[in-house]
Amino acid sequence: MGNRSDEIARLVTRAIIGKRLWPGSKLSEQTLADVFDVSRAVVRQAIIRLSDDGLVVIERNRGAFVSRPSYREAVEIYDALTMLEQGVAAQLSGRLDAHGWSELRHHVALQHKAVENKNEELADQLGSGFHEVLVKMSRNSVVQEMHAKLIRRTALLRMLISSRFDYCGLLNDHSKLVDLLEDGQVTAAQELIDEHHRNVVRGYILDEKLEPKMNVREALEPFVDGLGSERRAAE
């Protein structure tokens, strides 16, 4: 049961991050069981995993729903990201090899190109990706797992907001952060990480009236075959 519920949890996560399953969508056990052709017990375990990840809330006598985070939760999520990344900054400052700094700068260059092409969706993805690459450099699997969980929750926030981000400013922060870390300026780098995340949160305007754009069956349709593919790969 464990493997199948894990597979379903991963596919539902992909649907959420892919902006197909929107905050507030009801996740009926029976509907998910029918869609993925599994028992409700398997679905229940998947929903618990998603709840542990902060992507789903389980309400007594009402069922499970894709999380609809509040502005306060947004602040707490980015505070947690700040604390994790400041720790990574202290570890990496002045210690990466040339390949590591090159990888970070390459990511910044890709984000620059997305901004120049006015591709805000790609720029947004690359913005989150920069922080993931940074944390990956720590080579600490526990920190990476915690950070990835928080980044997945920011995907929910991005579905609920109309943004007023200064993408050029945020991108310049990334370039400056790499320079500070390479020069070993730990305190300045940590202060920049804090200010950077505060600016991201300030750019969020949550729209409480947004409703799911499609039903659960429609949202998960592209991922149904993925369950069978993952099973065959495991075999």
Side-chain angles (χ1 to χ4, degrees), residues 7-228:
E7 290 166 1
I8 291 171
R10 282 195 295 271
L11 294 173
V12 173
T13 296
R14 286 174 57 191
I16 293 172
I17 293 175
K19 297 185 178 181
R20 293 186 64 85
L21 270 178
W22 277 61
S25 298
K26 182 174 174 59
L27 300 178
S28 160
E29 286 186 7
Q30 189 58 59
T31 299
L32 292 180
D34 292 343
V35 167
F36 290 112
D37 191 24
V38 296
S39 70
R40 289 182 61 172
V42 171
V43 168
R44 195 169 298 120
Q45 289 301 313
I47 288 174
I48 290 172
R49 284 169 171 75
L50 291 163
S51 175
D52 290 341
D53 218 20
L55 296 178
V56 167
V57 293
I58 302 173
E59 299 183 10
R60 187 172 183 178
N61 299 324
R62 294 193 67 224
F65 299 82
V66 177
S67 296
R68 185 184 287 269
S70 65
Y71 186 79
R72 178 60 198 167
E73 287 174 281
V75 171
E76 291 179 348
I77 288 169
Y78 278 97
D79 278 350
L81 284 170
T82 295
M83 287 184 276
L84 282 176
E85 291 176 16
Q86 285 178 330
V88 170
Q91 178 190 2
L92 298 182
S93 184
R95 300 178 189 177
L96 277 184
D97 58 20
H99 176 75
W101 300 123
S102 176
E103 184 175 351
L104 285 169
R105 286 198 167 89
H106 175 67
H107 201 95
V108 171
L110 291 176
Q111 195 178 356
H112 264 297
K113 187 173 181 179
V115 171
E116 289 171 1
N117 293 335
K118 301 186 185 305
N119 189 338
E120 290 191 359
E121 183 174 355
L122 179 59
D124 191 39
Q125 293 172 1
L126 290 169
S128 293
F130 171 83
H131 295 270
E132 293 180 86
V133 172
L134 179 71
V135 171
K136 183 188 72 173
M137 300 293 182
S138 72
R139 299 185 180 181
N140 184 310
S141 60
V142 175
V143 171
Q144 289 179 62
E145 183 179 346
M146 294 169 65
H147 189 267
K149 179 176 179 179
L150 290 166
I151 289 293
R152 287 194 290 272
R153 293 182 69 183
T154 67
L156 288 169
L157 294 170
R158 289 195 293 276
M159 281 188 275
L160 285 172
I161 58 104
S162 55
S163 64
R164 55 185 180 204
F165 295 146
D166 174 10
Y167 282 103
C168 290
L170 295 177
L171 178 54
N172 288 337
D173 285 350
H174 291 168
S175 297
K176 186 177 180 180
L177 179 60
V178 177
D179 290 339
L180 290 172
L181 290 174
E182 189 171 16
D183 290 342
Q185 298 184 50
V186 179
T187 300
Q190 291 175 327
E191 290 174 351
L192 179 59
I193 289 170
D194 179 58
E195 182 62 24
H196 176 85
H197 285 316
R198 289 181 187 278
N199 285 334
V200 171
V201 173
R202 291 189 193 107
Y204 280 159
I205 307 172
L206 268 63
D207 187 345
E208 301 292 343
K209 298 179 181 178
L210 284 176
E211 296 295 334
K213 296 187 175 182
M214 62 185 78
N215 65 44
V216 172
R217 289 180 185 274
E218 293 171 332
L220 292 174
E221 185 176 359
F223 303 96
V224 173
D225 291 339
L227 184 58

